[in-house]
Amino acid sequence: MPNGEGPLPTRRSALALAGAAALLPVLVRRAVAQGEAPWWQGVETARALVGDAVPSTEGITIDLPYLSEDGTSIALGVAVDRPMTPESYVESLHVHALKNPAPEVADYFFSPLSGRAEIATRIRINETMPVGVIARVSTGEVIVAEREILIVTIGCLTNAATYATTDIMRTRVRVPDRFLPGVPAEITTLINHPMETGLRTTLAGDVIPKNIVTRFLASINFATVFEARFRSSVAVNPYLRFFIAPPQSGELVLRWEEDSGLAAIERRPIVVG
Amino acid sequence: MSITRRSALGLIAATGAASLAMPNVARGATGRVVVIGGGFGGATAAKYLKLRSPGLAVTLIEPAEMFYTCPFSNLYLGGLWDFAAIGQGYDLLRSDYGVEIVHDRAETVDTAARTLRLGGGAELGYDALVMSPGIDMRWDALAGYGEAAAEKAPHAWKAGPQTQLLRAQLEAMPDGGTFVMVAPDNPFRCPPGPYERASLVANYFKAHKPASKVLILDAKDAFSKQARFTDGWSTLYGDMIEWVSRSNDGKVVRVDADALEVETEFGQRIRADVLNVIPPQRAGLIADRAGLTNESGWVPVNPATFEAVAAPGVFVIGDATIAAPMPKSGFAANAQGKVVAANIVAMLEGREPPAPAWLNTCYSLVGPEYGISVVGVYRLIDGAIAEVPGSGGVSPASGGPEFRAREAANTFGWYHAITNDIWGTVW
């Protein structure tokens, strides 16, 4: 089994957690009710992101399945309900999987030309846990949100695809044929990549070196409109949907960068009108 | 309010005690148990309730007079079996076990009042309710694919007219055509089912339409028993079956049933000669109406008793439940039906329910003489359902043709045995 030694979901870890899984939603609710410290205070990077702000808790929607039968590639959507104008826009969004070996999953950076602070991706979740999200607004507002996901491996399934891929650095892109001026529309992207965490060993015990796509950039006419930074908990074959709201026609350039320095580039015409 | 097994036990035990206090009542559990759904879970529960406690009044509510099983419907689609062979009736449950069969549809359940209303207008009360409602399609989940579209591009994921429609389309398809199957993301009924279907359609094509293709467009990057299936496909069918994973743009986002065309996430348009769309699913509608589902669309259950978390005293089993790590399979529903019958009888008799154990085997035919399987044994460990370590597993990669033939024979043996166990079908 290719992932048998991996730190990410194995049959053993999923099973070991099945017991906790049934009880967790209740426990989490109880923790909140008893006024325990919010999740972000327990994660160093999250604490730094919140800084001195008193975070608000309204305005972020986290779209995650209630339960996943395979933690290797879980669809995650995050939307921040705030204006996206030069005067006030969501600058960044930060995703944390609180019990993964490293809780930081990915960071997303928006611009007013994003039109909407909304992303969809696929992530690795090692066991039942909360997923925590922080959004930073250009006005200084900080918003936090969290949502629980249950991971229980199904006996009838195999999760052999944790790292399995072919044609590494092959990209796929979907861009709308036409945009209306300033109206946000969705870009869908995928790059073939194993996203090796560096935490896995071969059967012989050798560490498989870390090898991940670290950065994704979208620019229109040389101006960056959207950027993402990936870490090891982004699932194999990084998948990303985001919005752009171009005011006029031009060229969209998409660039993926691997930790080795290797890059892949796609160019697409943007037709507005 | 916190829901505990103890409180549910208390409620039902009280009901049982009240009945026992009445005169002219036989020893053992008494009371009325209503079972909604006559499939693998419900029919099992009904039979085993009467088997364990003949004094119980057990009423099975099932709209269909003949139940066509999803297991082995792929054999019908592949032309190996007649449709009649997968039809199971209720005569033996009625005559040999004394189960009252009502061919009607449960429309609403009032779990607080412990009553349910049937489509025909009748209202029934119960001391314990078993619900085995199976699945319904999420008709709003895949653009262009609703009930009308399913008449042109059948799902055939509930055995019945949809299955017959798909078979007729396969028969009418000219040689050289492409059978396109759209497979859903997890969770869905019968994880290996789409891949067995692809196999047995390829088996039919190989004999009758050898220039044809089977194309699976999948919303997943991996599937049940994948390595065993793909080994079997290359051994038996060469490159007739092509599987496209989600990461290779296999996820279908739009269906045009009139044109028999699908559109993938990255904008490919693929035309089919026969189009089989297996859409995302949810618990059978009645579970939703009874207020038992959560935001996932499935029913969370207390793992120890299979009582719905939202309504103690209502026992939900089968594909509708969140019973992971047990899969959504007919065999699992059968195992859950037996456990629930034992629980209910124990509760009505004022005893502690026995410690549950469940067994599941998913057999799949890659060809008529090429079977593969995955086995799991489950117990309650620390309050949750867990696979017993080292108890099961997938057919070995090293199995040769004889091993695969033996597993194929076991597959047929399993179907004969389980339909005999549940509906009394004699083969």
Side-chain angles (χ1 to χ4, degrees), chain A residues 11 15 18-19 66-67 69 73 122 147 152-158 161 172-174 188-190 192 237 239 241, chain B residues 186-187 191 221 223-224 246-248 263-267 294-296 322 324-327 362 374 384-385 387:
Chain A
R11 183 92 157 238
L15 281 172
Y66 169 80
L67 174 140
E69 299 176 344
S73 181
R122 299 188 78 98
R147 197 183 147 126
V152 182
T153 306
I154 282 280
C156 235
L157 297 178
T158 51
R172 297 176 200 271
V173 174
R174 187 166 196 182
T188 306
T189 71
L190 184 143
N192 285 23
N237 301 330
Y239 171 88
R241 291 202 321 258
Chain B
N186 298 321
D221 272 344
F223 61 86
S224 175
R246 178 181 50 74
S247 286
N248 283 314
E263 184 183 325
T264 65
E265 184 165 35
F266 287 96
N294 70 5
E295 77 269 21
S296 72
I322 299 169
M326 294 189 80
C362 291
V374 55
I385 302 167
E387 195 168 345

Side-chain angles (χ1 to χ4, degrees), chain A residues 141-155:
Chain A
E141 183 190 12
V142 176
I143 316 167
V144 299
E146 66 179 285
R147 197 183 147 126
E148 180 84 8
I149 177 157
L150 308 183
I151 309 288
V152 182
T153 306
I154 282 280

Side-chain angles (χ1 to χ4, degrees), chain B residues 107-380:
Chain B
E107 290 289 344
T108 55
V109 178
D110 183 339
T111 55
R114 295 183 175 237
T115 57
L116 68 154
R117 186 177 296 280
L118 305 184
E123 194 174 289
L124 299 178
Y126 60 82
D127 296 303
L129 178 66
V130 179
M131 203 185 279
S132 189
I135 56 151
D136 269 311
M137 306 303 150
R138 285 182 184 271
W139 292 117
D140 57 349
L142 183 53
Y145 195 69
E147 284 180 84
E151 294 305 314
K152 292 178 172 147
H155 55 77
W157 216 242
K158 284 182 175 187
Q162 279 275 301
T163 321
Q164 292 174 297
L165 174 61
L166 184 56
R167 175 61 193 166
Q169 291 178 345
L170 289 166
E171 282 176 354
M173 189 187 90
D175 188 16
T178 302
F179 169 62
V180 175
M181 179 198 291
V182 177
D185 201 354
N186 298 321
F188 64 98
R189 160 176 282 178
C190 189
Y195 313 97
E196 181 188 68
R197 176 173 294 180
S199 307
L200 296 184
V201 168
N203 183 64
Y204 166 68
F205 285 170
K206 189 179 171 183
H208 299 280
K209 300 169 186 188
S212 308
K213 298 281 290 182
V214 176
L215 177 64
I216 309 168
L217 300 174
D218 212 323
K220 299 181 292 300
D221 272 344
F223 61 86
S224 175
K225 294 179 276 188
Q226 183 169 348
R228 293 297 86 73
F229 270 112
T230 50
D231 287 352
W233 289 346
S234 58
T235 302
L236 298 177
Y237 310 117
D239 57 3
M240 184 183 267
I241 300 175
E242 184 186 354
W243 175 69
V244 184
S245 68
R246 178 181 50 74
S247 286
N248 283 314
D249 199 19
K251 183 180 177 181
V252 167
V253 295
R254 187 177 303 277
V255 176
D256 182 343
D258 291 321
L260 295 183
E261 193 177 79
V262 296
E263 184 183 325
T264 65
E265 184 165 35
F266 287 96
Q268 292 184 75
R269 286 168 178 275
I270 296 163
R271 204 180 162 296
D273 293 286
V274 174
L275 179 58
N276 174 206
V277 178
I278 306 169
Q281 298 148 32
R282 52 174 302 137
L285 186 60
I286 186 69
D288 213 34
R289 287 194 183 161
L292 306 182
T293 53
N294 70 5
E295 77 269 21
S296 72
W298 305 100
V299 180
V301 292
N302 174 340
T305 61
F306 273 74
E307 289 172 280
V309 168
V314 178
F315 297 78
V316 187
I317 53 176
D319 293 350
T321 60
I322 299 169
M326 294 189 80
K328 297 186 188 303
S329 76
F331 199 153
N334 169 255
Q336 292 159 9
K338 290 174 184 174
V339 169
V340 153
N343 282 348
I344 290 173
V345 169
M347 289 176 186
L348 291 177
E349 290 178 351
R351 289 185 285 113
E352 276 291 307
W358 304 271
L359 172 66
N360 177 71
T361 304
C362 291
Y363 285 106
S364 300
L365 289 173
V366 184
E369 292 170 5
Y370 193 116
I372 58 177
S373 66
V374 55
V375 181
V377 180
Y378 306 89
R379 283 190 182 280
L380 206 59

